[in-house]
Amino acid sequence: MTASEAPAIGLTHGSSEDTGLGNRGPQSKSIVVPYGFWLFVLSDMVLFSALFASYASLARATAGGPGTLQLFDRTTVAVETIALLLSSFVCGLAMVAAKRRNLWWTEAWLVVTAILGLVFLFIELREFGHMISIGAGPQRSAFLSSFFTLVGCHGAHVTAGLMWIGTMMAQVWAKGFQPHITRRLLCLSIFWHALDIIWVAIFTIVYLIGTLP
Amino acid sequence: MTGFSRHFRHALAAAALLATAGCDRGILNPVGPVGSAEKMILINSTAIMLAIIIPTILATIGIAWWFRAGNARAKYRPEFEYSGAVELVIWSIPALTVILLGGIAWIGSHDLDPAKPLKSSVPPVRVDVVSLDWKWLFIYPDQGIATVNQLVVPAGAPVSFRLTSGTVWNIFFVPQMGTMIYTMPRMATRLNLQADKPGVYEGESAHFSGDGFPGMRFAVHAVPAQQFAAWAAAAHSGPALDAASFEQLQKPSSYVKPFTYGSADPRLFDYILAGRTLPPVSPKTTPPAQHVSPQPPAGHNDVR
Amino acid sequence: MFGRLTWNSVPWNQPIPLITSLVVLAAIVAVLVWITINKWWPYLWNEWITSTDHKRIGVMYIVLALVMLVRGFADALMMRAQQTIAVGASQGYLPPEHYDQIFSAHGTIMIFFMAMPFIIGLINFVVPLQLGVRDVAFPTMNNVSFWLTASGALLVNLSLFIGEFARTGWLAFPPLSEKQFSPGVGVDYYLVALQIAGVGTVLTAVNFVTTILKIRAPGMSYMRMPIFTWTALAASLLILAAFPVLTATYAELMLDRYLGFHFFTNDGGGNSMLYMNLIWVWGHPEVYILALPAFGIYSEIAATFSGKPLFGYRSMVFATLGICIISFMVWLHHFFTMGAGADVNAVFGIASMIIAVPTGVKIFNWMFTMYGGRVRFTTPMYYLIGFMITFVLGGLTGVLLAIPPVDFIVHNSLFLVAHFHNVIIGAVVFGVMAGYTYWFPKAFGFTLDERLGKIIFWCWFIGFYLAWFPEYALGFMGATRRLQHIADPSWQPYLDVAMVGAVVILAGIVLTVWQLIYSIRTRDRRLDLTGDPWDGRTLEWLTLSPPPHFNFAVLPDVHGEEAYWTRKQTALREERLIEEPRFEPIEMPVNTPTGVICAFFASLCGFAVIWYIWWLAILGLIGAFAVLVWYAWRDEHEHIIPAEEVARLERERRRIRSELLGDWKPVT
């Protein structure tokens, strides 16, 4: 084999057989990219933890206004949660289809993921709208500011995730299952599942504990 | 000696005098038990650490110099990159120092907790402190008077402070009396200080609070106990601190000359703390004139 | 249409910012014209602005840092001058509303746009070379990170021309930074600029943690990584864990200011103490983000210029990681005087002292690195020794401040200000100057003038002591920080000495600029022909100076600690290089304009948010998103360097190295 026919050596090695401590040289992109993305997700979780800390500090600062017991409805939250958890499951199905390089099913499951995400967002926005209409908006008190920010930040991430799903659907359609596209799908699913994890923390700390008698 | 040499010596003496003059009024010249205790911890801790730092600095210079490349007498030991004994010593030295200083920190933090009342045979004088833009309001709830930018206390008696802010954060600080503490809106902090001997001591805000901040200096007059009582009694002839005069006082001003209110609404501190305004008084009370600074720093008025 | 931006937002009636703005504008225009006349735009665009090469990006970070050093130091000089003049009856030449902006800008710029970019720039340039690899894990994202940082710097400096800067100090504590007390655009400039730059910083951290943990030369296990790489890893982990807290905190303050939320307000249940806690949870790790890589630089320099391996390498690694973890447990020492109670204060005080232990251990390790060595007194070595002397004094004052009852009388005083300048200048500034001098030949192929380098060191060293030791004394005299006017005339001599110190440091900065110009002009006298001018011990010295785009023709096999040193000693002993490798084509990432265009839209969006120009803000956001989607659509991620080209460059390097095998001598 001449030098020009040899496989090009780039930043990372081509094969993905090495999952050890990196002593055998640079890891492949299929490991490096999701790893980096996980690190970003972890940093995002730190951001949420700061918002949780703020919420915990300010949860009782209702400034004479409504508090958790007056505002939260467990049924609504249950429906939201089911929608989001289901969307996570469906996202997993999309990844399975992508692994099998089945374009139709990948796109289909991604659409369902997005729809369930939209359901979640719709319910959440309706809740926010209702609260604002009864004078329990974020400007009412520190508790409400921190509630809207924490839950709203999660909702903003869900929105960004939906935009990302749309973009990925377009990319998969236009370009097929090339390696960089499937890596991005993997990152998207990591993101989407991470949002679930954050939501579990939110509904536990904010809604469940907040509505304890 | 020549004229020049004599002038030079005078200038040097003046400079030295000037240089050390400020040294008389700082934290190294405490006038009470709190400041004295803190100064002692400061000096002792510095001495303990210098005992390690100075040899370290000398060793750094010495080792670098001795093992310079040109020194043929220094033994080159390129394989000397680890020694358990050395590691043990160099971890121990800082660790032991920290254990010692940590003990001092623990004991000192508890002994000198600002909220802890001072031991004294004399009952404490209570002062409520409110930081405003950009001056200090001192209310004496037991005497029923208030002062601005001037604190009068009896020497030898503990002073028990309750502090809050009417605007943004500040820090109440009288260096020669010791401990400083934040003043924060909607929150009350507590402080206990004492001036053992009569004198005038400088006070300031130690937390930047806006354009008028440098003008927040105030004087602390520690006077003999009878003089304090006499001053408090005489002050009753001054203007009243009520809703109207307080509203005037709240307007931004800096470098405010000290003055005294003859009467102070006893609810004022708690109202400020709760963020509420005092109810207005009946028209019988004459609202006082506001002593505004004669020379405010340029441009401070357009902050709001 | 233009929000709250009006014609009067430009400081027409304030001579100092107006004249400064005009001068800077003229300088910028002159530079742009000069580039255009010389037809350098294609070169700059292709080789620098769109580069994904970590070496180029590193240099750009350092250029940004040096420019911001000049701006931040100008602020310092103005502050020193004001405090020297405004004593007693005089109000000086800076009214409070200006002085307050100047000290706020000074701190913000020095930390976020001088120290951080300098450290990140050095990490960018050096770490992939030390790891024996070709580039970082995410080269395009690296480019984006740089340009977002530059965008933040642009916005902060724009506040000089249009509007005003924050008047709250460099951390913008509420309630002063809330809308009620700071209604102008200043705090908004501060928040928006730092949010944008913060995104860049977090992305850098993701890049470097991934790179260091997943992309290393074959055989380089963790305990064979160079110590500077370890400290880069530690700093990156700290960034990942701390910066999101800053993002959240600033977001909360922005929500308070823009939408009337009540996180930190005086009313509505807001709690300004929450801000203190959050911001210092970020703030303390931040100083270690700066200091740990500086320690790493010193470790490399100590080993190289003593001709010995670093003493206690493992100890240093564990000390570094220990500092990382403890740095998250000390934040309350920034507000002992808030009245948290004796138990809380004492615990945090003790924790703050504990963190001094691993730091002290490092000092001794550097000492024992020199012990038994053959110490060469080059400029970087001067900085090391200067640091060891200066930093331990700063550490002493730091431990003093960690004792709550002592802090009760020196908190927020000039003693505190002297302490943190002591440790930052001693560790970080000396460190980056040392690193700059040490790695300069690797980046550009020639060393900086050594004599000027030493003079610059002495300017910094002497200037530091003159400028800051009077401030320690003033702190004892009760002087607090951020004073636009000094009431006590007996402080004048101290302030005068401090001014002299500032001028001496100014000489150092001016000479730094001159040293660069002069060294470029006379570079033929100090060419680094071998790529190893200092007789180095780590892999970056294996390459020629400057290294080829791909760094290494073949990733080096690492067989022990000090990969390059062992390889070099073997070659010298056997009088031959290792066998010529089989040359293969190399894939390198392509250039990309993603970063600069994204930053352009980010700047636009940021400016719009600051001035309430909502249509422009939305446009900016859409633009930034569109750029990312457009980037995501490309199919060509890499270009191939043919094997013949790799072979040519590598054979040239081997030829030069072979010629030296008889008479190897480092340049001193």
Side-chain angles (χ1 to χ4, degrees):
Chain A
M1 197 196 313
T2 64
S4 55
E5 284 170 345
I9 307 294
L11 305 183
T12 55
H13 284 161
S15 66
S16 58
E17 89 284 323
D18 186 291
T19 52
L21 293 169
N23 297 359
R24 275 167 271 183
Q27 309 268 314
S28 66
K29 271 201 183 170
S30 60
I31 291 177
V32 165
V33 171
Y35 189 85
F37 191 74
W38 250 125
L39 289 173
F40 167 72
V41 166
L42 289 177
S43 80
D44 225 17
M45 293 197 175
V46 175
L47 186 136
F48 273 104
S49 70
L51 296 178
F52 272 109
S54 303
Y55 179 80
S57 304
L58 300 172
R60 265 167 283 286
T62 51
T68 56
L69 287 167
Q70 290 84 35
L71 292 168
F72 297 156
D73 168 37
R74 285 191 181 184
T75 319
T76 316
V77 177
V79 176
E80 274 180 302
T81 306
I82 291 169
L84 202 63
L85 289 178
L86 211 55
S87 79
S88 231
F89 174 68
V90 170
C91 182
L93 293 177
M95 290 308 293
V96 169
K99 191 152 185 174
R100 297 199 184 126
R101 306 196 147 217
N102 187 325
L103 179 62
W104 205 94
W105 276 108
T106 306
E107 299 283 56
W109 289 127
L110 281 176
V111 166
V112 178
T113 308
I115 289 172
L116 287 166
L118 276 164
V119 167
F120 171 88
L121 268 187
F122 174 75
I123 298 175
E124 185 160 277
L125 286 171
R126 212 182 52 164
E127 182 196 14
F128 282 4
H130 168 70
M131 285 170 73
I132 292 173
S133 71
I134 61 166
Q139 291 91 351
R140 176 66 186 81
S141 68
F143 151 69
L144 284 163
S145 296
S146 60
F147 166 79
F148 273 87
T149 306
L150 173 60
V151 180
C153 185
H154 175 266
H157 278 73
V158 172
T159 310
L162 289 174
M163 287 162 69
W164 193 0
I165 291 176
T167 313
M168 285 322 298
M169 287 176 64
Q171 288 220 303
V172 171
W173 188 264
K175 294 165 180 290
F177 294 101
Q178 294 180 52
H180 66 285
I181 305 289
T182 46
R183 279 197 298 264
R184 287 172 195 169
L185 280 173
L186 179 59
C187 290
L188 170 59
S189 78
I190 293 174
F191 185 74
W192 201 254
H193 294 312
L195 287 183
D196 243 16
I197 298 174
I198 307 266
W199 179 251
V200 168
I202 289 180
F203 92 67
T204 308
I205 294 176
V206 176
Y207 291 103
L208 276 185
I209 295 181
T211 53
L212 282 175
Chain B
M1 72 181 114
T2 66
F4 172 76
S5 164
R6 195 173 68 233
H7 281 302
F8 182 68
R9 279 165 167 254
H10 280 175
L12 209 58
L17 207 65
L18 203 61
T20 49
C23 292
D24 292 342
R25 293 200 292 273
I27 60 174
L28 296 178
N29 305 91
V31 298
V34 173
S36 306
E38 287 161 348
K39 174 187 168 185
M40 183 144 71
I41 297 176
L42 170 68
I43 307 265
N44 291 345
S45 308
T46 306
I48 291 169
M49 285 191 280
L50 278 177
I52 297 164
I53 300 283
I54 292 181
T56 303
I57 292 177
L58 293 174
T60 302
I61 300 172
I63 289 175
W65 180 247
W66 178 254
F67 288 98
R68 66 192 184 280
N71 185 5
R73 289 182 295 157
K75 184 150 173 258
Y76 181 46
R77 301 177 51 190
E79 79 300 333
F80 181 57
E81 54 175 306
Y82 179 77
S83 155
V86 169
E87 287 282 350
L88 183 66
V89 171
I90 66 182
W91 279 92
S92 304
I93 296 175
L96 288 170
T97 315
V98 161
I99 290 172
L100 175 56
L101 291 174
I104 293 176
W106 181 270
I107 297 170
S109 300
H110 285 82
D111 282 348
L112 292 161
D113 184 21
K116 191 170 137 198
L118 301 179
K119 282 198 178 52
S120 177
S121 53
V122 178
V125 175
R126 294 196 302 150
V127 178
D128 289 340
V129 180
V130 182
S131 61
L132 299 167
D133 285 331
W134 287 280
K135 54 241 174 214
W136 292 95
L137 172 65
F138 301 108
I139 304 170
Y140 299 75
D142 296 329
Q143 286 75 21
I145 56 176
T147 54
V148 171
N149 275 356
Q150 172 176 265
L151 183 64
V152 182
V153 295
V159 185
S160 175
F161 295 95
R162 259 195 328 165
L163 306 102
T164 190
S165 178
T167 56
V168 298
W169 286 29
N170 277 282
I171 292 180
F172 172 86
F173 186 34
V174 183
Q176 284 188 273
M177 289 179 77
T179 302
M180 68 175 89
I181 195 113
Y182 277 114
T183 62
M184 301 173 284
R186 307 292 171 277
M187 293 179 259
T189 44
R190 297 210 167 256
L191 181 63
N192 290 273
L193 297 172
Q194 180 173 315
D196 285 334
K197 39 192 213 288
V200 181
Y201 311 117
E202 291 280 335
E204 59 188 346
S205 173
H207 184 96
F208 177 74
S209 52
D211 286 349
F213 167 70
M216 284 184 81
R217 297 181 76 84
F218 60 95
V220 180
H221 297 265
V223 298
Q226 304 101 309
Q227 198 178 325
F228 174 75
W231 166 80
H236 281 298
S237 58
L241 178 60
D242 53 23
S245 57
F246 182 67
E247 196 189 313
Q248 275 292 103
L249 186 64
Q250 277 194 302
K251 294 196 178 132
S253 60
S254 190
Y255 296 91
V256 174
K257 287 251 182 319
F259 65 96
T260 309
Y261 289 103
S263 66
D265 192 319
R267 305 165 292 175
L268 183 56
F269 184 87
D270 294 308
Y271 267 73
I272 297 170
L273 188 57
R276 291 150 59 196
T277 45
L278 274 176
V281 286
S282 61
K284 277 195 256 172
T285 318
T286 27
Q290 160 83 341
H291 288 245
V292 184
S293 66
Q295 295 153 357
H300 83 287
N301 281 317
D302 52 345
V303 163
R304 294 287 178 278
Chain C
M1 169 77 170
F2 288 113
R4 49 181 177 168
L5 180 65
T6 67
W7 194 239
N8 286 326
S9 304
V10 178
W12 303 115
N13 58 346
Q14 293 158 28
I16 295 175
L18 185 66
I19 294 175
T20 313
S21 306
L22 289 172
V23 167
V24 171
L25 220 56
I28 292 175
V29 168
V31 167
L32 293 176
V33 164
W34 189 49
I35 295 174
T36 312
I37 289 177
N38 282 303
K39 296 206 212 306
W40 285 341
W41 284 114
Y43 166 75
L44 279 179
W45 181 260
N46 290 323
E47 297 292 331
W48 290 92
I49 293 174
T50 60
S51 172
T52 52
D53 183 343
H54 69 95
K55 302 183 287 296
R56 293 278 162 91
I57 292 174
V59 170
M60 288 197 287
Y61 267 111
I62 295 176
V63 169
L64 173 69
L66 287 169
V67 172
M68 288 294 107
L69 174 65
V70 171
R71 160 73 210 260
F73 195 74
D75 288 328
L77 281 174
M78 294 183 72
M79 289 159 61
R80 275 283 116 254
Q82 168 70 12
Q83 286 201 331
T84 312
I85 299 171
V87 181
S90 167
Q91 279 289 324
Y93 71 102
L94 286 173
E97 60 266 24
H98 289 162
Y99 184 78
D100 303 341
Q101 290 179 57
I102 289 173
F103 69 69
S104 306
H106 169 75
T108 307
I109 287 174
M110 285 304 205
I111 296 281
F112 289 104
F113 298 111
M114 194 284 287
M116 288 287 288
F118 220 133
I119 292 280
I120 290 178
L122 288 169
I123 290 177
N124 253 292
F125 185 86
V126 174
V127 168
L129 287 167
Q130 284 199 336
L131 291 173
V133 295
R134 300 237 158 80
D135 206 326
V136 295
F138 307 111
T140 303
M141 196 164 79
N142 206 8
N143 178 287
V144 172
S145 291
F146 168 73
W147 284 110
L148 288 177
T149 307
S151 165
L154 171 68
L155 282 171
V156 169
N157 284 285
L158 210 55
S159 69
L160 192 60
F161 307 163
I162 307 177
E164 58 168 14
F165 194 62
R167 292 194 241 159
T168 53
W170 79 283
L171 281 178
F173 296 143
L176 184 60
S177 57
E178 290 280 357
K179 203 74 184 292
Q180 181 188 2
F181 299 102
S182 291
V185 290
V187 177
D188 299 319
Y189 261 111
Y190 168 87
L191 291 170
V192 170
L194 292 180
Q195 289 288 56
I196 294 173
V199 173
T201 307
V202 171
L203 294 179
T204 294
V206 169
N207 227 332
F208 278 97
V209 175
T210 311
T211 307
I212 295 171
L213 294 183
K214 290 292 176 193
I215 301 183
R216 301 194 297 276
M220 188 179 282
S221 61
Y222 291 134
M223 284 304 171
R224 289 177 180 175
M225 294 194 315
I227 191 77
F228 179 68
T229 299
W230 268 111
T231 57
L233 174 66
S236 303
L237 289 169
L238 281 176
I239 292 174
L240 270 187
F243 264 79
V245 177
L246 187 72
T247 307
T249 312
Y250 284 164
E252 291 176 355
L253 184 56
M254 284 177 76
L255 286 168
D256 274 3
R257 288 179 63 84
Y258 278 85
L259 294 177
F261 283 36
H262 289 293
F263 281 101
F264 316 117
T265 51
N266 281 353
D267 59 333
N271 191 338
S272 37
M273 288 197 293
L274 176 62
Y275 184 95
M276 271 293 208
N277 279 276
L278 285 172
I279 207 84
W280 282 116
V281 164
W282 166 84
H284 200 82
E286 162 69 8
V287 312
Y288 288 102
I289 291 168
L290 297 173
L292 289 178
F295 294 162
I297 297 172
Y298 291 123
S299 296
E300 301 290 1
I301 287 171
T304 301
F305 293 107
S306 304
K308 274 179 74 220
L310 177 69
F311 185 90
Y313 169 87
R314 267 167 205 253
S315 195
M316 294 293 249
V317 169
F318 288 115
T320 303
L321 295 174
I323 290 174
C324 257
I325 295 170
I326 306 175
S327 71
F328 276 96
M329 301 179 187
V330 301
W331 78 91
L332 194 129
H333 70 226
H334 296 276
F335 44 93
F336 281 136
T337 55
M338 207 158 78
D343 288 336
V344 172
N345 277 354
V347 163
F348 276 93
I350 292 171
S352 307
M353 290 182 213
I354 290 176
I355 210 171
V357 174
T359 317
V361 165
K362 284 176 180 271
I363 296 275
F364 291 119
N365 273 320
W366 288 311
M367 213 190 285
F368 280 97
T369 304
M370 293 192 286
Y371 185 93
R374 284 203 189 122
V375 178
R376 291 176 275 140
F377 288 103
T378 55
T379 303
M381 201 58 178
Y382 273 49
Y383 281 110
L384 170 68
I385 297 175
F387 149 74
M388 287 170 74
I389 297 170
T390 310
F391 188 76
V392 294
L393 291 169
L396 186 159
T397 55
V399 173
L400 274 182
L401 286 157
I403 304 173
V406 176
D407 188 68
F408 289 163
I409 49 177
V410 287
H411 172 69
N412 254 11
S413 66
L414 289 184
F415 181 90
L416 167 74
V417 181
H419 157 72
F420 65 69
H421 281 88
N422 196 338
V423 288
I424 288 189
I425 294 178
V428 181
V429 175
F430 286 7
V432 297
M433 292 300 294
Y436 166 71
T437 310
Y438 183 58
W439 281 302
F440 187 93
K442 179 54 56 186
F444 296 108
F446 59 96
T447 57
L448 290 165
D449 183 84
E450 182 69 10
R451 201 180 57 109
L452 279 172
K454 288 176 172 154
I455 296 174
I456 292 169
F457 164 78
W458 285 116
C459 287
W460 272 105
F461 189 79
I462 294 173
F464 163 77
Y465 284 94
L466 284 176
W468 291 107
F469 269 64
E471 307 250 332
Y472 278 125
L474 285 170
F476 283 153
M477 293 193 254
T480 194
R481 67 190 294 198
R482 296 174 172 163
L483 285 172
Q484 174 263 353
H485 168 258
I486 310 287
D488 192 335
S490 70
W491 296 359
Q492 185 79 62
Y494 298 88
L495 294 165
D496 290 342
V497 174
M499 183 81 222
V500 171
V503 171
V504 173
I505 295 177
L506 172 68
I509 294 177
V510 169
L511 282 177
T512 303
V513 176
W514 171 242
Q515 183 199 37
L516 187 58
I517 299 171
Y518 175 77
S519 302
I520 294 174
R521 287 229 191 114
T522 58
R523 60 187 180 276
D524 290 329
R525 298 186 211 161
R526 290 177 315 279
L527 290 174
D528 173 17
L529 296 165
T530 64
D532 186 1
W534 311 118
D535 200 14
R537 310 177 78 89
T538 41
L539 281 172
E540 71 265 33
W541 307 108
L542 177 60
T543 63
L544 286 182
S545 297
H549 180 39
F550 48 81
N551 294 347
F552 303 94
V554 167
L555 299 194
D557 277 320
V558 175
H559 295 296
E561 287 177 25
E562 298 204 312
Y564 175 57
W565 183 259
T566 8
R567 183 167 159 148
K568 182 163 55 172
Q569 299 314 304
T570 312
L572 286 170
R573 199 175 51 241
E574 300 178 2
E575 293 198 353
R576 63 181 182 87
L577 303 180
I578 59 172
E579 219 174 275
E580 187 181 273
R582 199 175 67 119
F583 293 112
E584 314 212 338
I586 296 179
E587 274 178 356
M588 290 299 293
V590 292
N591 284 359
T592 178
T594 309
V596 68
I597 299 177
C598 201
F600 169 75
F601 283 112
S603 305
L604 215 60
C605 180
F607 185 81
V609 165
I610 290 166
W611 289 101
Y612 297 1
I613 311 172
W614 306 121
W615 61 266
L616 187 59
I618 294 172
L619 220 69
L621 268 177
I622 294 176
F625 180 67
V627 169
L628 289 173
V629 174
W630 168 77
Y631 153 76
W633 225 262
R634 78 173 183 197
D635 286 313
E636 285 296 313
H637 305 290
E638 276 117 8
H639 68 105
I640 299 194
I641 301 172
E644 294 79 29
E645 174 71 5
V646 175
R648 184 183 67 80
L649 288 163
E650 179 63 2
R651 284 186 181 128
E652 174 64 16
R653 187 191 74 81
R654 292 173 62 88
R655 183 188 67 76
I656 293 174
R657 291 293 174 109
S658 306
E659 280 172 12
L660 293 163
L661 277 177
D663 44 28
W664 183 270
K665 263 197 278 296
V667 170
T668 40

